[in-house]
Amino acid sequence: MGKPEYYFDKINRQDPPKRSVILRIKDFGDIYRPHMPKDLIAQASRCVNCGIPVCTDACPLTNSIPVWMEMLEDGALIEASRTAYETNPMPDVTGRVCPSDMLCEEGCVLKDQYESVTVREAERFISGVYYYEVMHEIKQSIGKNDIKVAIIGSGPAGLACADYLSRLGYSPTVFEKDASPGGLLFYGIPSFKLDKQLITRQVKTLEERGVRFTSNCEVGKDVTLKELEKAEYKAFFIGIGAKKEIDIPKTIERNAANVTTAYQFLSSINQPGLGPAVDVKGKKVLILGGGDTAVDCARAVVRRGAREVTCVYRESEEKRPGSKREYVNAMEEGVKMVESFTPERFNLGKDGNVKEVQFVGVDCAVADENGRILFKEIFTRKKTLKTDLVIISFGFVTELPAFIKETNIETDAMNRIKVNSHQMTSVSGVFAGGDIVRGSSLVVWALRDGREAAFGIKRYLGPE
């Protein structure tokens, strides 16, 4: 392979076409229409194959983006798929939910003058090639051993660990307390961003390689670590995520019936029957928060027939967390955005429900020594918004279950598990990764941790 010339100045960046707003807000289907293969190849030809690929450095998985971009340009789709899959266990997921505009595409050297290469769309395309052309090759090449490894939690970190352990010849068992594997991917992301069939397909692929999934089984409650050790599990991976939502002080009438949280709302639409259904049809909905989860809620509320949807968040537009791409999609779909305000008080009606939310202005100050944005309330700036439903979306923090405390695994002041460079905890043979280690973070970081933990487990177990 080799490039006789570059095309970034001859071919403009072309994002995938979107379904019209009037159609897409009527269902939970994917809003993007796939590029034609010839268009993807043309977009790949814009990559200049940098000597020092900043896109790779900006990717938590260190994906060899220029390498498989060149393969894609040459029409070597299967080779591109193989290369992508070496470092990324779920390119079909990252190709849909990864904020590439903040990571690899932000690092693209073409960004400022010619616009970045369309990395996410290329990754999404070649992930389909993997499942239909390459997956059987991986399965046939795997040798098996009898060493048992337990994975606790089937979110992105757990699935990634299971994937790489299966490639290394192990047959891990994944223990999931909920009914369906996938964790955040299944319950916390709406289908218009991530079709649940993709998670089901990933689970089926792993099962075909010998990975076992035990759902409705909570470690520490339905089965203990001691019992798993007696069952001759030789290593453990903990990937239970960070599902405790940051709430709002009860002093401002948090307990009103028409106040819910982002995860409660999203899980109720992703898995009907899991929790009480939240009726939004014809209602004026306020979402407190401006990150990706808040925007996911807002766009889901639109599709459920809300009359008006508004996100209110503390940050300025420049410092707002989350993907710019999803922010634009939400605005196109009619979501209103109110920046630099924080809730001060809920005003209740005679029925005990919140009728209005009072906000106070906020100024984003310079970040502190830990990189956190400092906020200063400006009491001369006030705003009151009427509402029929409030959804709180301030993010997630870690919460340690009893079995971790009982095992004496070392944690930090934020209830996050401490690990070494191989993802092993302070307890020999017990590994961890994802949000339980990092705090609330990106899917791509959880995938990275699961991958590294699998190699750490192999290193710990030693020669077969």
Side-chain angles (χ1 to χ4, degrees):
M1 298 180 188
K3 287 189 171 182
E5 59 178 319
Y6 299 120
Y7 298 95
F8 60 86
D9 58 345
K10 300 178 178 65
I11 300 173
N12 294 328
R13 175 188 170 103
Q14 181 184 348
D15 288 307
K18 301 176 187 178
R19 297 165 61 203
S20 69
V21 171
I22 196 170
L23 292 177
R24 76 193 199 213
I25 64 173
K26 293 180 180 179
D27 59 45
F28 277 72
D30 196 332
I31 76 166
Y32 293 103
R33 298 189 184 281
H35 275 308
M36 297 296 290
K38 64 179 180 60
D39 295 325
L40 248 304
I41 291 172
Q43 288 296 297
S45 72
R46 299 183 68 245
C47 178
V48 298
N49 204 355
C50 306
I52 301 177
V54 184
C55 57
T56 294
D57 293 339
C59 173
L61 288 166
T62 59
N63 289 327
S64 302
I65 296 167
V67 175
W68 50 256
M69 277 290 188
E70 185 173 356
M71 292 174 175
L72 182 58
E73 179 191 354
D74 290 342
L77 306 186
I78 293 177
E79 289 80 358
S81 175
R82 289 195 191 105
T83 302
Y85 191 66
E86 287 175 5
T87 54
N88 186 355
M90 300 179 75
D92 51 345
V93 170
T94 55
R96 288 167 171 81
V97 305
C98 198
S100 57
D101 51 350
M102 300 165 59
L103 296 171
C104 55
E105 292 183 13
E106 174 65 19
C108 181
V109 298
L110 300 179
K111 177 176 71 72
D112 293 332
Q113 189 171 356
Y114 294 99
E115 293 192 281
S116 304
V117 175
T118 52
V119 178
R120 195 171 85 157
E121 277 59 57
E123 186 174 57
R124 176 172 171 163
F125 174 76
I126 60 179
S127 72
V129 177
Y130 160 72
Y131 275 103
Y132 294 109
E133 299 290 343
V134 180
M135 187 264 287
H136 68 283
E137 297 178 2
I138 302 291
K139 180 181 175 182
Q140 292 172 356
S141 68
I142 294 174
K144 291 293 182 183
N145 61 50
D146 296 324
I147 301 175
K148 297 169 68 175
V149 179
I151 296 174
I152 305 169
S154 67
L159 291 177
C161 188
D163 186 301
Y164 279 92
L165 283 174
S166 73
R167 298 192 213 185
L168 294 170
Y170 301 95
S171 297
T173 299
V174 182
F175 296 90
E176 171 55 55
K177 71 175 184 177
D178 291 323
S180 299
L184 168 72
L185 301 176
F186 193 89
Y187 293 102
I189 300 177
S191 295
F192 54 77
K193 277 181 64 176
L194 183 62
D195 191 330
K196 300 301 168 275
Q197 292 183 6
L198 297 175
I199 309 305
T200 303
R201 183 174 70 174
Q202 178 75 3
V203 169
K204 182 180 178 182
T205 297
L206 294 178
E207 287 177 329
E208 290 174 350
R209 291 194 206 153
V211 178
R212 293 179 57 196
F213 287 85
T214 303
S215 298
N216 294 311
C217 182
E218 183 174 353
V219 173
K221 181 180 178 182
D222 301 307
V223 64
T224 67
L225 280 182
K226 290 289 186 184
E227 289 172 332
L228 293 177
E229 288 175 353
K230 288 180 181 178
E232 298 187 345
Y233 284 93
K234 302 300 183 182
F236 300 84
F237 175 77
I238 302 171
I240 57 176
K243 292 183 179 178
K244 183 179 179 181
E245 296 188 85
I246 300 172
D247 214 325
I248 205 163
K250 291 180 172 55
T251 54
I252 59 172
E253 309 296 347
R254 163 65 180 88
N255 292 325
N258 65 334
V259 180
T260 189
T261 66
Y263 191 77
Q264 289 172 343
F265 172 68
L266 290 173
S267 61
S268 74
I269 62 174
N270 284 327
Q271 185 78 347
L274 183 67
V278 181
D279 181 23
V280 302
K281 190 169 185 178
K283 292 182 178 180
K284 183 176 288 191
V285 180
L286 277 181
I287 297 168
L288 308 182
D292 282 343
T293 301
V295 173
D296 286 350
C297 286
R299 298 178 64 201
V301 166
V302 168
R303 285 157 173 77
R304 283 296 179 99
R307 175 163 51 97
E308 183 178 302
V309 186
T310 305
C311 282
V312 185
Y313 49 92
R314 296 183 300 173
E315 296 83 3
S316 62
E317 185 174 341
E318 295 75 25
K319 292 185 171 67
R320 187 192 65 81
S323 169
K324 296 176 184 177
R325 188 192 324 247
E326 298 306 321
Y327 178 87
V328 169
N329 288 336
M331 293 282 283
E332 290 175 350
E333 292 165 8
V335 177
K336 297 179 180 179
M337 300 288 181
V338 178
E339 64 183 67
S340 303
F341 277 93
T342 191
E344 183 180 38
R345 179 178 175 79
F346 291 174
N347 295 330
L348 305 185
K350 293 181 180 180
D351 60 0
N353 285 332
V354 177
K355 298 300 180 186
E356 296 178 335
V357 178
Q358 291 179 205
F359 296 90
V360 62
V362 174
D363 181 38
C364 294
V366 178
D368 66 10
E369 64 275 10
N370 296 315
R372 295 172 298 193
I373 298 174
L374 302 177
F375 297 95
K376 179 182 178 182
E377 293 184 348
I378 305 173
F379 292 99
T380 55
R381 292 178 58 215
K382 301 276 187 174
K383 184 183 288 289
T384 300
L385 297 175
K386 295 184 181 298
T387 189
D388 301 309
L389 175 70
V390 178
I391 299 176
I392 300 169
S393 183
F394 291 152
F396 302 86
V397 292
T398 53
E399 184 175 37
L400 298 175
F403 83 86
I404 291 179
K405 298 176 183 178
E406 294 166 358
T407 312
N408 295 319
I409 293 172
E410 189 177 353
T411 59
D412 65 15
M414 302 291 288
N415 285 330
R416 297 173 300 194
I417 295 176
K418 292 184 177 182
V419 297
N420 64 16
S421 59
H422 300 289
Q423 302 297 133
M424 189 157 73
T425 70
S426 58
V427 176
S428 182
V430 179
F431 297 74
D435 289 358
I436 193 64
V437 169
R438 297 178 176 274
S440 184
S441 187
L442 299 174
V443 168
V444 68
W445 278 112
L447 295 176
R448 178 262 176 210
D449 287 354
R451 180 188 71 189
E452 297 307 301
F455 290 109
I457 290 170
K458 179 176 174 61
R459 179 176 178 272
Y460 165 75
L461 294 174
E464 299 173 15

